[in-house]
Amino acid sequence: MRPRASNDISPVTPIVVTASEGRLRSVAVTDDAGHHVPGDFAQDHHRWTSHGDLDFGTDYRVRTVGLNGDGRTSRDATTVSTLSPRSTAYAQVVPAPEIVGDQVGIGLPIGVQFTKPVTDRKAALEQLHVTSTPAQPGAWRWIDDQHVHYRPKHFWKPGTTIHLRADVFGTDLGGGVYGAADNEATYHVHDAWVARANGATKTLTVYHQGHRVRSLPISLGKPDMPTHSGIHVISSKQQKVVMDSCTYGVCSGPKAYKLTEYWALRISNSGEYVHENPESVAEQGSRNVSHGCINLSPANAKWFYRHFGIGDVVEVSHSGGKALPVWDVYGDWSLSWGQYRQGA
């Protein structure tokens, strides 16, 4: 009776003991510290299989007692070792549930950020699973070699529960990197809130559950600093924030700025927010004069801040700006469904 496994196995590979003849009476598998590995016998006791993950870089002592075909007792012992990876990577769920809270908006892409580059993308994707209730079609897309996002074909339906599971422990991610641990997260989608910013009319029209509820005068990015066009998704919100153009590489010159703004909801990593700007109230509704943000009056900014949050949608049109890049936080909606699906 021998374990059907070789040395340096993956820690997710079960240890299997089979009886070449007769049947198994007992199997004990222990690590160096004496901890027992659980397992189950097949109904005929010809096979024993461990269950649950093993540990990396560990020797497991396997002791068996069996009954041969003639009824004699036999004992055997051997050692099975698990591999010691060159490096391990954690799969961090994005966004972190503790940051976004219990409720998110209909536009929120979800995903995984690996702490090390992944060279075997196919192997990684095979261990990533998303379920939505009610069920909706969706697809994965690699943003770079550490970030992979998932979005539905259309915006999430209000009331959807989304569950993301990353079963990556022990997975060979390529280049000597193995998954360090499994991870998972659950998100709940609230009512549909969508705001459409029109650079031609200088208005922000707000829709709740598909019904128009308010139209607010705005000022978008001025001609030499236009707001990105297309679908944006709110990624964070702060009542007070320091906006510094140096954070995205503009540290000097006429386009540089460092300002404290209020009631701010971030819609891109290139410095675009929806926020209060008392100094541009005279231009709101008539001219685009911002550094790329969507400016609102103090009263309108407070109202917008109360009603919108992470995952809610801000669509920008007629801004004169380029499309929001797919890699810019939640720029996933910049691509058509067909384009997005090709990124897996």
Side-chain angles (χ1 to χ4, degrees):
M1 285 155 287
R2 297 281 182 181
R4 199 181 67 191
S6 61
N7 284 350
D8 296 330
I9 64 171
S10 167
V12 295
T13 300
I15 296 174
V16 179
V17 180
T18 57
S20 56
E21 60 179 42
R23 60 199 300 269
L24 296 167
R25 194 166 78 179
S26 67
V27 175
V29 179
T30 55
D31 62 16
D32 293 336
H35 299 130
H36 283 264
V37 174
D40 295 305
F41 288 99
Q43 188 172 4
D44 59 7
H45 271 243
H46 281 244
R47 180 190 303 264
W48 180 94
T49 304
S50 68
H51 57 75
D53 294 334
L54 306 174
D55 293 323
F56 283 119
T58 302
D59 294 329
Y60 290 91
R61 184 72 168 166
V62 183
R63 297 179 178 87
T64 61
V65 178
L67 292 174
N68 293 332
D70 57 6
R72 289 183 301 171
T73 299
S74 63
R75 288 176 170 79
D76 207 344
T78 190
T79 299
V80 174
S81 301
T82 53
L83 61 86
S84 297
R86 180 180 63 81
S87 182
T88 58
Y90 288 91
Q92 299 172 336
V93 293
V94 179
E98 60 269 23
I99 293 177
V100 299
D102 184 58
Q103 299 286 320
V104 298
I106 61 171
L108 184 73
I110 59 175
V112 171
Q113 176 182 342
F114 290 92
T115 56
K116 299 283 177 61
V118 173
T119 56
D120 192 340
R121 296 183 175 187
K122 183 176 183 293
L125 283 184
E126 288 176 348
Q127 304 305 316
L128 304 182
H129 312 281
V130 174
T131 56
S132 60
T133 307
Q136 293 148 73
W140 289 98
R141 182 178 181 86
W142 286 92
I143 306 303
D144 56 37
D145 60 6
Q146 289 183 240
H147 298 78
V148 59
H149 283 189
Y150 183 97
R151 54 154 268 209
K153 182 177 181 179
H154 306 291
F155 292 145
W156 298 109
K157 296 177 182 178
T160 296
T161 296
I162 310 161
H163 186 70
L164 165 62
R165 197 175 80 248
D167 297 332
V168 300
F169 174 72
T171 299
D172 184 351
L173 302 174
V177 178
Y178 283 77
D182 296 335
N183 204 351
E184 63 181 336
T186 299
Y187 308 90
H188 302 283
V189 181
H190 56 58
D191 287 356
W193 284 95
V194 176
R196 296 193 173 103
N198 189 316
T201 62
K202 283 72 174 179
T203 57
L204 184 70
T205 305
V206 177
Y207 297 84
H208 176 238
Q209 298 291 80
H211 301 289
R212 176 176 168 172
V213 295
R214 187 166 292 201
S215 186
L216 310 172
I218 59 171
S219 181
L220 292 177
K222 52 191 175 181
D224 63 337
M225 299 184 72
T227 308
H228 281 108
S229 63
I231 297 174
H232 298 59
V233 176
I234 294 171
S235 59
S236 66
K237 59 187 295 184
Q238 296 171 267
Q239 186 174 341
K240 176 183 177 181
V241 63
V242 176
M243 299 184 184
D244 187 351
S245 61
C246 200
T247 60
Y248 59 91
V250 182
C251 300
S252 61
K255 293 186 178 181
Y257 59 86
K258 186 173 184 179
L259 304 166
T260 299
E261 303 291 359
Y262 297 87
W263 312 110
L265 298 99
R266 180 186 285 274
I267 56 174
S268 83
N269 250 9
S270 52
E272 295 173 332
Y273 290 78
V274 180
H275 68 87
E276 167 193 292
N277 191 343
E279 296 183 5
S280 70
V281 169
E283 286 82 16
Q284 291 169 21
S286 60
R287 284 201 308 138
N288 293 324
V289 298
S290 82
H291 292 101
C293 293
I294 300 175
N295 287 176
L296 291 165
S297 70
N300 287 338
K302 291 177 184 178
W303 181 90
F304 191 84
Y305 188 90
R306 287 198 303 270
H307 289 84
F308 277 70
I310 295 173
D312 290 328
V313 176
V314 178
E315 300 181 15
V316 178
S317 64
H318 304 95
S319 65
K322 296 179 180 179
L324 183 69
V326 67
W327 45 261
D328 193 334
V329 190
Y330 299 137
D332 302 68
W333 299 99
S334 296
L335 301 180
S336 68
W337 176 239
Q339 292 171 325
Y340 196 85
R341 293 177 66 189
Q342 294 173 8

